Amino acid sequence: MARRQESARGSMPLKELLISKESKAMASFGVRDLDTMLRFAPRRYVVPAPLRSLREIHQGEEVSAIVEVESVHDRAMRSRYGFLLEVSVTDGTESLPLTFFLTKQRQVDWHRGRLPIGALILVRGTVGYDDYRKALQLTHPDYEPVEDTDEGRAWAQRPRPVYPLKQNIAQGTMRSATEKGLEYAGSLSRTVPEEVITRRGLPSLEEAVRLVHVPLTTEDTRRGMAHLRYEEAFILQSVFAQRRAQDERTPAPVLSADGPLQGLFDERLPFELTAGQREIGDELAARIAHGHPTSALLQGDVGSGKTVVALRAMLRAVDSGHQAALLAPTEVLAEQHHRTLTTLLGELARAGQLDAHPEATRVRLLTGSQRTSRRRETLLDVTSGQAGIVVGTHALLTESVGFASLGLVVIDEQHRFGVDHRRRLRAKGPSGQSPHVIVMTATPIPRTAALATVGDLDVLTLRESPGRRAGVTSFVVHEKLPAWEQRMWQRAAEEIAAGRQVFVVCARIDEDEADAPAPPLLDEDGTERTPALEPARGVHQSALRIAERPELAGARIGILHGRLSAEEKQHVMKQMVDGEIDLLVSTTVIEVGVDVPNASVMIVLDAERFGVSQLHQLRGRVGRAEHPGIAFFDTSAVVGQEHSQHLQRIADAADGFELAELDLRRRGAGDLVGEEQSGLQRTLKHLDVLRDSRAIEQAREDAFAVVASDPELTAHPALAGAIEDRLRDADPDVERS
């Protein structure tokens, strides 16, 4: 508690510093103390127009001028309620009227008090024209006292901060509040150690907040923001560093055995492992052989062979006398993984059966919709340890599932699981030990983004493809160009005629439901906006319309969505795999993991409603064998407009890393240490994980060094308090994001 109090010295309540109007304005943004207010940066800055002589100005121009007040007159307006205040000013060469239309006498008095005759002021505004007097004027200009000196002129040209506003809050109120707070900048909590600030050439915190809120030049704003961005990166990397240090103190099963299952599996593989698969496999093997939990992100594009790499690690766990669990986000994907693993392992997965290999283990599937008898049988194998590998959905997280000795957890498509899910699964390790964790994703993260978003995971990347796939070509199809759409369906019919299969994906199940929300778009200033979209099509209605298309006459059409029972889903997918369905209309339930090698066409209807990673995953469902794949992103967007351009960028980018950067800019990085999985502005106030890559890497180096020398941060109470604040809304034991 003493540490928390010491770290909060700069957290003066704003009610003690500001007038009521100012403190309420700040509170509307959740800003209630000095530390938070002075780190609440402007959204942007307005740079005044160059100082001009009044002789040089023209109608419609932005003007800044240093002038002297010549006269002030006011009168009640005849044609409408209120008062007209006219102020004549001069710069010694020309005079210009300033006009104010005011509703209350006290407003008139306020302006008169600030504009006495002879006062020198800086005036800024847009030059207008008075039709009655046939003369130029400034209506409701900004003005402030100024000195006609070099210093005064520099002050007149300073960038003006523009803060975000809410209803009934004036920009002047936000500026006034912040400027008052700067008087107490010396009492702010200094999160980053002074020696680090000096080494990195950053301004002190006190200087930085002054540069941010009252800069004299644009360069001042950059220098001030550099400190705030670095500080944010430093706090985030300190969280990751503490987690890494905690791992070093936590015991984990030692998975160091070299066989026999691993060798037998490699022998029966029908293909050669790539150099990348072997390299990453060896690196994982070295990591899980340690007695402390490994947390690794195994990332690779669609088709890079991540599942085989993960399976080899799981077999090492079984060879070492422990169990491995593979957690999938949907039952369809869990069932697909179970089929894939048992097919790859063959007799090595059939322990207890007559045709099993003597060294075989059991691979069990556990889902929420399993029949009671099958579930009971699976749970018995899991509890007794007979099942070396368990594949499942969220059902694996329930308290009723107890492992004999869980040594390794593999999580597929990590963005589908909340951090709480992962924490609960890690808690199922044997006798106080924490299992090793491998997180797989087919939506790769650029290196610098990974340092910021999963900084406590070791990132392992598969960049090469095994080369057993024909690949996919993507096209954007605009419904407003009927010939394009007709050709899309003709192309699908041609593939079916050639004996191949087609997926059609819809954004929702039924069209009479509430419209699905569009993926968020971020403006340049970080605000979120949702453009209007035409209603999305549903699975049921689309299947009926497709059946009526002459190009697809005679095609065998099936449907698949989340409301079907587990048995119905399994039956439909079996029909698709067995070639009994030519065209499957589905929701995104097929987004990940579904493997139908004969499928060659993916049509995504209302493609503008899907995220970048979703579209990339969906097109990865075709072209998985020797037949080239074709992906059509069908959209109602206008050709060349925003949605159309965005889809075209996705279609043009075959590399998952390029798409990941595009997705990161569009959706944001997520809550980096808490529960949220997307939405950059929910977590990062100043830092941009792509723009600020150098600051992130430097902060990582410095934070890990500080935590290594002082794991409990006893000598750094302000940093400990900042970390506590950062984790306030998240579980302190939260698993890696």
Side-chain angles (χ1 to χ4, degrees):
M1 180 62 71
R3 171 189 290 170
R4 182 73 184 99
Q5 290 173 345
E6 184 177 350
S7 70
R9 286 178 302 161
S11 297
M12 298 181 185
L14 294 184
K15 290 182 179 180
E16 299 178 8
L17 308 177
L18 310 176
I19 63 175
S20 176
K21 180 175 67 173
E22 294 166 342
S23 62
K24 286 180 179 178
M26 286 293 175
S28 70
F29 292 97
V31 176
R32 293 180 172 83
D33 59 72
L34 181 66
D35 262 316
T36 308
M37 182 175 72
L38 293 187
R39 288 173 169 90
F40 186 66
R43 175 170 289 172
R44 59 187 174 87
Y45 295 88
V46 174
V47 179
L51 290 173
R52 303 276 294 280
S53 164
L54 295 184
R55 278 184 176 174
E56 301 171 343
I57 65 175
H58 301 281
Q59 183 178 355
E61 288 183 332
E62 291 291 324
V63 64
S64 295
I66 294 178
V67 295
E68 181 181 338
V69 177
E70 290 183 306
S71 64
V72 181
H73 301 283
D74 67 87
R75 61 179 174 80
M77 290 185 285
R78 297 173 183 173
S79 57
R80 61 175 177 170
Y81 176 79
F83 302 88
L84 177 65
L85 176 67
E86 293 181 316
V87 181
S88 178
V89 297
T90 181
D91 64 354
T93 64
E94 196 76 38
S95 295
L96 182 72
L98 313 182
T99 304
F100 300 86
F101 297 95
L102 307 170
T103 58
K104 296 180 171 35
Q105 180 63 49
R106 59 183 175 81
Q107 295 172 325
V108 175
D109 296 340
W110 185 82
H111 281 288
R112 275 185 167 276
R114 298 185 68 209
L115 294 167
I117 295 174
L120 202 64
I121 62 171
L122 166 69
V123 63
R124 294 183 298 268
T126 303
V127 181
Y129 189 76
D130 185 341
D131 290 323
Y132 179 74
R133 295 184 178 179
K134 307 298 182 185
L136 299 177
Q137 67 175 0
L138 290 181
T139 303
H140 286 282
D142 289 328
Y143 65 88
E144 62 183 302
V146 69
E147 295 180 3
D148 193 9
T149 62
D150 290 342
E151 292 80 3
R153 289 177 177 274
W155 178 251
Q157 293 294 282
R158 73 192 189 281
R160 299 277 285 173
V162 178
Y163 297 92
L165 299 177
K166 293 186 177 179
Q167 189 175 14
N168 299 325
I169 298 176
Q171 193 64 235
T173 302
M174 300 292 287
R175 290 172 179 165
S176 173
T178 305
E179 290 172 10
K180 287 179 181 177
L182 288 173
E183 298 176 20
Y184 304 90
S187 66
L188 291 174
S189 298
R190 290 163 176 77
T191 303
V192 185
E194 291 300 326
E195 62 271 18
V196 174
I197 293 295
T198 301
R199 184 168 68 252
R200 295 302 180 187
L202 296 168
S204 68
L205 177 59
E206 183 174 356
E207 181 186 2
V209 294
R210 293 186 187 280
L211 294 174
V212 166
H213 296 292
V214 286
L216 286 179
T217 65
T218 302
E219 177 59 26
D220 284 351
T221 69
R222 285 193 283 267
R223 289 184 60 229
M225 288 304 302
H227 182 114
L228 297 187
R229 288 172 181 145
Y230 186 88
E231 179 185 66
E232 188 167 33
F234 184 82
I235 294 170
L236 190 60
Q237 295 302 326
S238 296
V239 173
F240 294 150
Q242 284 196 317
R243 290 179 176 175
R244 189 67 65 91
Q246 178 63 36
D247 280 350
E248 292 299 318
R249 299 192 295 269
T250 303
V254 176
L255 310 180
S256 58
D258 288 326
L261 281 174
Q262 300 159 78
L264 292 169
F265 173 67
D266 287 351
E267 289 174 6
R268 64 168 280 110
L269 276 175
F271 49 81
E272 283 290 324
L273 295 171
T274 67
Q277 286 175 313
R278 290 193 176 278
E279 180 184 347
I280 297 299
D282 291 343
E283 194 165 346
L284 280 175
R287 291 171 184 274
I288 63 179
H290 294 153
H292 303 290
T294 290
S295 297
L297 174 67
L298 175 58
Q299 65 175 7
D301 214 343
V302 175
S304 60
K306 298 181 297 298
T307 302
V308 170
V309 172
L311 177 54
R312 294 179 78 224
M314 289 190 279
L315 292 175
R316 180 170 288 266
V318 178
D319 283 339
S320 302
H322 297 280
Q323 295 167 289
L326 173 56
L327 184 61
T330 66
E331 289 195 358
V332 168
L333 182 53
E335 291 157 3
Q336 177 72 52
H337 273 311
H338 183 257
R339 282 194 298 271
T340 299
L341 298 190
T342 53
T343 300
L344 286 171
L345 289 170
E347 69 273 14
L348 299 177
R350 294 197 284 267
Q353 300 180 29
L354 291 177
D355 61 345
H357 190 282
E359 301 293 343
T361 187
R362 291 181 186 174
V363 179
R364 283 295 198 178
L365 174 68
L366 185 66
T367 64
S369 62
Q370 277 182 324
R371 296 178 183 235
T372 304
S373 58
R374 174 60 65 88
R375 182 179 177 83
R376 188 181 299 117
E377 185 179 314
T378 297
L379 288 174
L380 183 61
D381 278 354
V382 174
T383 304
S384 66
Q386 293 295 314
I389 297 175
V390 185
V391 182
T393 58
H394 295 77
L396 286 176
L397 304 174
T398 61
E399 293 182 2
S400 62
V401 180
F403 290 83
S405 182
L406 182 61
L408 175 66
V409 176
V410 177
I411 300 171
D412 193 21
E413 292 310 318
Q414 57 97 15
H415 65 281
R416 294 293 199 92
F417 289 96
V419 287
D420 181 61
H421 294 146
R422 301 197 286 277
R423 186 188 70 241
R424 280 186 277 159
L425 195 56
R426 284 196 70 165
K428 292 180 176 289
S431 59
Q433 294 181 312
S434 178
H436 302 277
V437 173
I438 299 173
V439 176
M440 296 196 301
T441 180
T443 308
I445 305 174
R447 179 176 181 273
T448 54
L451 289 178
T453 58
V454 287
D456 56 344
L457 291 177
D458 295 318
V459 181
L460 306 176
T461 303
L462 282 170
R463 289 191 174 273
E464 58 183 321
S465 172
R468 299 185 300 276
R469 299 186 177 202
V472 184
T473 305
S474 304
F475 301 92
V476 178
V477 176
H478 295 88
E479 293 176 21
K480 291 181 169 56
L481 301 175
W484 291 29
E485 189 175 30
Q486 183 180 14
R487 180 56 187 150
M488 176 182 75
W489 293 114
Q490 288 174 346
R491 194 69 188 84
E494 291 167 5
E495 289 294 301
I496 292 174
R500 292 183 279 278
Q501 293 164 286
V502 176
F503 285 112
V504 177
V505 174
C506 301
R508 57 185 181 183
I509 299 172
D510 282 306
E511 293 175 7
D512 55 358
E513 300 169 335
D515 210 6
L521 295 174
L522 299 180
D523 283 325
E524 291 182 359
D525 60 6
T527 57
E528 187 177 302
R529 56 193 171 88
T530 303
L533 296 173
E534 294 186 11
R537 283 162 289 188
V539 169
H540 291 127
Q541 294 81 359
S542 294
L544 293 174
R545 285 190 287 264
I546 291 169
E548 294 174 355
R549 294 197 69 91
E551 305 96 330
L552 295 165
R556 297 168 296 175
I557 299 174
I559 63 172
L560 181 68
H561 53 74
R563 290 187 195 151
L564 298 178
S565 67
E567 291 81 4
E568 289 172 321
K569 291 178 197 171
Q570 291 172 5
H571 178 66
V572 171
M573 284 309 304
K574 185 176 186 302
Q575 286 182 303
M576 191 70 177
V577 172
D578 293 343
E580 298 172 9
I581 292 176
D582 298 317
L583 186 149
L584 181 64
V585 186
S586 171
T587 58
T588 54
V589 70
I590 64 154
E591 176 186 339
V592 288
V594 171
D595 189 10
V596 182
N598 192 48
S600 60
V601 178
M602 169 63 68
I603 297 173
V604 184
L605 301 180
D606 305 304
E608 69 274 8
R609 292 178 170 272
F610 296 83
V612 175
S613 61
Q614 281 185 309
L615 292 173
H616 188 48
Q617 289 280 9
L618 287 170
R619 70 177 172 187
R621 300 307 102 207
V622 297
R624 300 174 69 84
E626 70 273 14
H627 305 300
I630 309 170
F632 294 108
F633 299 152
D634 184 89
T635 178
S636 60
V638 177
V639 180
Q641 289 194 354
E642 183 177 14
H643 284 301
S644 171
Q645 292 175 353
H646 178 66
L647 290 173
Q648 192 60 56
R649 284 192 290 268
I650 299 172
D652 292 342
D655 183 271
F657 290 86
E658 183 181 344
L659 285 170
E661 184 168 321
L662 178 64
D663 197 24
L664 190 65
R665 291 197 182 281
R666 183 177 174 87
R667 293 194 307 123
D671 189 342
L672 308 185
V673 296
E675 294 284 352
E676 293 294 333
Q677 298 293 307
S678 66
L680 187 63
Q681 300 306 318
R682 298 182 70 91
T683 294
L684 301 181
K685 294 182 177 66
H686 313 302
L687 200 65
D688 183 305
V689 296
L690 300 179
R691 178 197 63 208
D692 301 319
S693 59
R694 179 169 174 78
I696 291 169
E697 296 195 31
Q698 291 178 339
R700 182 177 179 82
E701 177 185 333
D702 294 336
F704 273 64
V706 168
V707 172
S709 63
D710 183 10
E712 299 301 322
L713 299 178
T714 305
H716 302 88
L719 176 58
I723 291 174
E724 182 180 336
D725 289 342
R726 182 63 190 80
L727 296 174
R728 182 184 300 148
D729 297 325
D731 189 312
D733 298 320
V734 77
E735 187 47 52
R736 279 101 180 127
S737 296

